[in-house]
DNA sequence: GCGACAG
DNA sequence: ATCTTGTCGC
């Protein structure tokens, strides 16, 4: 895996420097797909495991769907875990996928591959890049501090929308009635994987909120995360700013009396079915709930909506420019 | 067979 | 997240 920092500093200096982990998972994944020998197949799940986490299975399907080089990177060799052929982006659809498989000597009966288990390639050469990213999350999690240390006189929100190549980030800063918009458009080489959102979106937050000093609302979770280090907490630690996660759906956990629990621990609060609050960094769970309740009037907070609308506007402007 | 797993 | 090639467990 190619892990690059945006400076020469040691990892533990990343808080001071704002250094960013920038993993090109697309290229790594296409490299795995190219390892599948002629006459063999793999599955979305096996490729996800070769990346380091079965949670990436759907992301594998997504990355194949945007495969820029169908001749060099044989996405037709990737089938479903039950042996059925699955989808293929082509005028002929899965007919073309079957044609390419049979050209390799893989026979298909009905919509399933024959001798599936025998031709299922599993010997990927990989160093499981997602394992390293989980380690990075553990490292940052140890620096999360949910003690109140914020100034709520300035509140801002960030969000990002996407096309297949770029992310369109926007930050809305409420400076007491006046709203300032900042924008950041960047290439994206990391897919959405549940539990790994930070490795797709953090670079936008870093670019937009690098020297912000109020409370930052982030579209996603903080403490409410499989490893207790969602995007909002990750960004808060990396940028050393107070953050709160506001998600539009529940990632995990059990809800009772509007409180979200992971095991015995209270990790988030459900304001409504589209507004789930969890602390990010430098803000306690209770203060996060109080502040977002005050901003939201029981609905999804306006400032987040403004940020989101601007990401959509940006994307449409860019796409209009391209056409 | 249906729902889940931020975006 | 967008017009979206999954997989697992209940
Ligand atoms: Mg978003």
């Amino acid at each position: 895996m190619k892990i690059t920092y945006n400076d020469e500093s040691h990892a533990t200096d990343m808080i001071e420097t704002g250094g960013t982990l920038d993993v090109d998972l697309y290229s790594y994944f296409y490299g795995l797909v190219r390892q599948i020998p002629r006459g063999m197949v793999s599955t979305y799940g096996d490729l996800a495991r070769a990346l380091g986490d079965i949670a990436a299975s759907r992301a594998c399907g997504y990355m194949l769907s945007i495969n820029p080089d169908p001749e060099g990177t044989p996405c037709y060799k990737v089938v479903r875990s039950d042996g059925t052929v699955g989808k293929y982006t082509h005028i002929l659809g899965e007919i073309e996928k079957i044609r390419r498989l049979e050209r390799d000597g893989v026979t298909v009966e009905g919509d399933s591959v024959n001798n599936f288990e025998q031709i299922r390639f599993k010997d990927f050469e990989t160093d499981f890049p997602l394992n390293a990213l989980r380690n990075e999350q553990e490292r940052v999690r140890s620096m999360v501090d949910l003690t109140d240390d914020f100034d709520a006189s300035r509140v801002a929100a960030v969000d990002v929308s996407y096309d297949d190549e770029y992310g369109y980030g926007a930050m809305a800063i409420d400076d007491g009635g006046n709203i300032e918009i900042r924008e950041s458009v960047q290439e994206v080489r990391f897919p959405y994987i549940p539990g790994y959102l930070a490795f797709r979106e953090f670079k936008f937050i870093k670019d937009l909120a690098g020297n912000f000093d109020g409370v930052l609302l982030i579209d996603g979770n903080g403490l409410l995360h499989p490893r207790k280090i969602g995007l909002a907490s990750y960004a808060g630690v990396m940028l050393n700013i107070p953050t709160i996660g506001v998600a539009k759906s529940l990632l995990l956990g059990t809800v009772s009396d509007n409180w979200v629990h992971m095991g015995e621990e209270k990790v988030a609060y459900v304001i409504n079915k589209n507004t789930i609050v969890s602390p990010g960094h430098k803000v306690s769970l209770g203060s996060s709930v109080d502040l977002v309740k005050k901003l939201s009037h029981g609905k999804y907070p306006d400032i987040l909506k403004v940020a989101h609308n601007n990401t959509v506007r940006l994307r449409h402007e860019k796409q209009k420019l391209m056409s």
Side-chain angles (χ1 to χ4, degrees):
Chain A
M1 174 176 48
K2 191 179 137 206
I3 294 180
T4 57
Y5 296 92
N6 71 343
D7 58 29
E8 298 296 309
S9 65
H10 184 266
T12 53
D13 294 332
M14 284 167 64
I15 291 175
E16 283 75 28
T17 61
T20 303
L21 203 49
D22 194 12
V23 180
D24 181 355
L25 205 73
Y26 292 0
S27 297
Y28 196 96
F29 172 76
Y30 296 134
L32 291 177
V33 175
R34 287 194 295 272
Q35 289 181 30
I36 306 168
R38 169 159 298 142
M40 298 192 82
V41 297
S42 184
T43 74
Y44 305 95
D46 287 348
L47 282 159
R49 279 183 276 261
L51 288 175
D53 197 329
I54 184 66
S57 61
R58 213 170 187 178
C60 290
Y62 169 71
M63 290 186 283
L64 291 173
S65 78
I66 60 167
N67 177 14
D69 180 18
E71 303 312 314
T73 305
C75 45
Y76 66 90
K77 295 176 182 172
V78 183
V79 303
R80 294 190 185 138
S81 62
D82 62 1
T84 59
V85 167
K87 298 188 185 178
Y88 195 70
T89 303
H90 187 274
I91 315 133
L92 300 174
E94 76 175 70
I95 303 289
E96 176 66 14
K97 190 168 184 175
I98 293 168
R99 182 180 320 216
R100 291 188 182 217
L101 284 167
E102 293 193 321
R103 189 182 61 190
D104 283 3
V106 175
T107 59
V108 176
E109 221 174 288
D111 57 358
S112 291
V113 162
N114 288 323
N115 307 313
F116 175 49
E117 289 306 330
Q118 290 91 310
I119 63 169
R120 185 173 180 173
F121 177 69
K122 285 191 171 172
D123 303 322
F124 288 105
E125 188 181 313
T126 179
D127 36 35
F128 304 104
L130 297 180
N131 291 4
L133 297 186
R134 286 196 300 281
N135 289 339
E136 160 72 357
Q137 288 179 323
E138 298 293 351
R139 185 185 74 77
V140 175
R141 176 181 65 168
S142 69
M143 291 182 266
V144 173
D145 186 351
L146 299 183
T147 311
D148 283 336
D149 180 16
F150 63 88
D151 169 11
S153 63
R154 275 160 62 83
V155 174
V158 286
D159 191 19
V160 186
S161 67
Y162 296 91
D163 59 27
D164 288 344
E165 288 181 88
Y166 290 89
Y168 304 83
M171 177 171 176
I173 306 165
D174 187 339
D175 211 344
N178 198 35
I179 292 182
E180 178 199 343
I181 304 296
R182 296 183 189 170
E183 303 169 348
S184 175
V185 177
Q186 302 181 58
E187 204 174 345
V188 170
R189 302 286 302 171
F190 197 99
Y192 168 68
I193 305 170
Y196 299 82
L197 180 60
F199 301 107
R200 182 166 168 87
E201 289 205 1
F202 171 64
K203 65 176 182 177
F204 294 91
I205 300 174
K206 180 190 160 208
D207 191 30
L208 292 165
N211 52 5
F212 178 67
D213 64 352
V215 178
L216 184 65
L217 268 46
I218 297 178
D219 181 28
N221 293 310
L223 183 61
L224 176 53
H225 181 274
R227 291 169 290 281
K228 309 274 174 77
I229 180 73
L231 172 62
S233 297
Y234 188 90
V237 169
M238 296 295 286
L239 302 177
N240 194 31
I241 59 177
T243 57
I244 296 172
V246 182
K248 297 184 292 299
S249 70
L250 191 62
L251 173 63
L252 55 90
T254 53
V255 183
S256 104
D257 200 20
N258 286 47
W259 292 99
V260 184
H261 295 255
M262 288 173 67
E264 295 302 294
E265 188 181 2
K266 237 183 234 182
V267 293
Y269 183 85
V270 179
I271 289 185
N272 63 54
K273 71 176 169 55
N274 269 326
T275 312
I276 299 154
V277 180
S278 63
H281 185 53
K282 294 184 170 231
V283 189
S284 67
L285 173 56
S287 298
S288 299
V289 173
D290 290 347
L291 183 55
V292 177
K293 266 186 175 170
K294 197 166 68 183
L295 292 169
S296 70
H297 316 289
K299 334 188 302 280
Y300 191 72
D302 286 334
I303 189 77
L304 270 160
K305 188 77 179 167
V306 170
H308 176 77
N309 289 346
N310 276 277
T311 69
V312 174
R313 173 187 58 74
L314 260 184
R315 175 162 48 87
H316 289 164
E317 281 174 9
K318 170 74 179 272
Q319 284 171 348
K320 192 172 172 182
L321 216 70
M322 306 289 270
S323 63

